[in-house]
Amino acid sequence: MGKQMTEMLKGTLEGIVLAFLTGNPAYGYEITAWLRSQGFTEIAEGTVYALLVRIEKNGLVDVEKRPSEKGPPRKVYSLNTGGEAYLEEFWTTWGFLAERLENLRTEGK
């Protein structure tokens, strides 16, 4: 992954993970595996876990501990109403930026 991709992901990974959690509660490894299946193959698991700690601390997700057959209980994250509001704002901002960037790319303005 190039440096430019890494820098761009810093501002968008939170929204990507929150979008994945919409109607799809998941634990850290599941989220990392999904990201990799979407082409984010070089995302470190530690990056995802640090993000999950941050979004939990910011009140954007609910966390439930569920038993695991393979070890200690897993923390399962689900989007809550605060996360839904944050995600809505993320998509609005994303749409604004994408439109402006597309205009620049196609029209050079």
Side-chain angles (χ1 to χ4, degrees):
M1 189 177 314
K3 183 177 179 180
Q4 193 174 47
M5 175 68 93
T6 300
E7 292 299 319
M8 292 178 109
L9 272 176
K10 285 181 182 176
T12 56
L13 189 58
E14 198 168 273
I16 293 167
V17 169
L18 291 174
F20 174 69
L21 291 174
T22 301
N24 187 35
Y27 55 93
Y29 180 77
E30 286 179 309
I31 296 167
T32 303
W34 177 79
L35 286 166
R36 290 179 178 160
S37 75
Q38 299 302 306
F40 303 107
T41 55
E42 295 185 27
I43 285 185
E45 218 170 314
T47 299
V48 174
Y49 283 103
L51 183 149
L52 291 171
V53 168
R54 188 172 60 249
I55 63 175
E56 179 183 1
K57 186 177 176 181
N58 290 337
L60 303 177
V61 291
D62 292 329
V63 179
E64 176 186 352
K65 285 192 176 183
R66 293 185 187 167
S68 169
E69 295 176 6
K70 297 181 179 178
R74 291 180 171 151
K75 291 176 81 173
V76 176
Y77 299 85
S78 59
L79 200 64
N80 62 24
T81 55
E84 289 172 356
Y86 183 92
L87 184 60
E88 182 65 31
E89 183 180 342
F90 172 83
W91 286 128
T92 299
T93 303
W94 178 261
F96 174 85
L97 290 172
E99 182 181 332
R100 294 331 179 265
L101 289 170
E102 183 63 17
N103 287 344
L104 283 170
R105 189 179 73 81
T106 59
E107 300 170 13
K109 296 178 182 177

